[in-house]
Amino acid sequence: QVQLQESGPGLVKPYATLSLTCTVSGLSLATNDYYWGWFRMSPGKGREWMGSIGYSGSIYYQPYLKSRTSIYRDTAKNLFTLQLRGVTSEDTAVYCCACGSTGSRSRADDYEYWGQGTQVTVSS
């Protein structure tokens, strides 16, 4: 059974760096053809793809977030992380990690397994 679990702070101060971790069980990050992504959901914007890392380590970012976003992975621990720099109230959202193996890495419908999501609020 594939499971993904997000972890990280629920409250982040403005202009700080948000760091979230997705710990995966039941499937190796290096499994051929799989990609591992981060999404966020907020009332005003719906579900938004932020970026993903592929089984070979290739990384793709949402273009308008690229300057503030980094995605890393630790294959030994089977987890991947999201860093979002310079957060503002506009970054308040539920953040989710997910994985898929077919279709588009930027389209939520193509992801097969999802974490439950974690609320992140940006506030002083």
Side-chain angles (χ1 to χ4, degrees):
Q1 183 179 3
V2 180
Q3 292 185 320
L4 295 87
Q5 179 66 58
E6 304 91 350
S7 60
L11 180 65
V12 184
K13 293 187 181 301
Y15 311 115
T17 295
L18 167 65
S19 183
L20 296 173
T21 297
C22 182
T23 302
V24 181
S25 60
L27 186 66
S28 167
L29 291 183
T31 302
N32 280 355
D33 298 330
Y34 271 83
Y35 45 84
W36 307 83
W38 285 98
F39 290 81
R40 64 183 181 181
M41 292 168 283
S42 59
K45 300 179 182 178
R47 186 162 50 182
E48 176 183 42
W49 174 72
M50 301 183 69
S52 60
I53 183 167
Y55 69 97
S56 64
S58 299
I59 303 172
Y60 303 87
Y61 295 111
Q62 173 69 258
Y64 90 93
L65 291 173
K66 185 175 181 179
S67 64
R68 298 198 292 134
T69 307
S70 296
I71 295 176
Y72 305 96
R73 69 175 183 174
D74 185 331
T75 55
K77 296 180 180 179
N78 215 44
L79 57 83
F80 60 108
T81 64
L82 169 75
Q83 288 190 345
L84 182 64
R85 296 175 290 276
V87 297
T88 70
S89 59
E90 294 292 308
D91 296 309
T92 294
V94 174
Y95 288 73
C96 295
C97 57
C99 72
S101 60
T102 60
S104 170
R105 64 177 65 83
S106 63
R107 197 169 71 172
D109 288 347
D110 289 333
Y111 283 74
E112 302 168 45
Y113 301 101
W114 290 80
Q116 64 182 14
T118 186
Q119 173 70 46
V120 175
T121 300
V122 179
S123 175
S124 57

